[in-house]
Amino acid sequence: MDSIIDKMTSNAYKVLKYMYSCQIELPDGTKYVPLSQVEMAPLIGVSTITINKLFKQLRDDKLLLPIEGKRGKYELTEKAIIIIKDMEKLEDKIGEIE
């Protein structure tokens, strides 16, 4: 069941939130998302064309950076992590009210 935040936010945020939840950490401390756009599209519930547009938007907004040497793999920027953590706080507050 979708939370109220999920219902009230765009697909761009949903992609960002999903990417945050499935990051893996490398031995050097770098975190990245191991899934490709094609793998993520059905999990988010959008077409591959839509997810490609969303990735472009997230890159343009400086929320995603490609990982060097890992084609099609991305890391979330500090800006993206701040957005996600703040939205999680908001979701917690809303949960307290309900």
Side-chain angles (χ1 to χ4, degrees), residues 36-52:
S36 70
Q37 292 180 29
V38 172
E39 293 168 318
M40 246 187 279
L43 300 171
I44 304 293
V46 298
S47 71
T48 53
I49 293 169
T50 299
I51 203 154
N52 185 271

Side-chain angles (χ1 to χ4, degrees), residues 10 16-17 20 25 31 48 56 79:
S10 70
L16 205 59
K17 181 178 173 185
Y20 179 76
E25 190 169 344
K31 291 183 181 179
T48 53
K56 182 179 179 341
K79 181 178 173 183

Side-chain angles (χ1 to χ4, degrees), residues 32-95:
Y32 81 100
V33 181
L35 300 175
S36 70
Q37 292 180 29
V38 172
E39 293 168 318
M40 246 187 279
L43 300 171
I44 304 293
V46 298
S47 71
T48 53
I49 293 169
T50 299
I51 203 154
N52 185 271
K53 290 177 184 177
L54 292 168
F55 266 65
K56 182 179 179 341
Q57 176 188 341
L58 293 169
R59 284 191 315 268
D60 290 349
D61 291 339
K62 303 207 180 346
L63 299 172
L64 281 184
L65 294 173
I67 299 281
E68 282 187 46
K70 293 195 181 283
R71 186 175 184 271
K73 304 300 183 207
Y74 295 88
E75 67 178 312
L76 301 176
T77 64
E78 188 174 328
K79 181 178 173 183
I81 293 169
I82 289 169
I83 290 168
I84 292 164
K85 289 186 185 257
D86 284 350
M87 291 297 279
E88 286 176 345
K89 288 178 192 172
L90 179 60
E91 195 162 11
D92 289 345
K93 276 191 168 187
I94 290 168

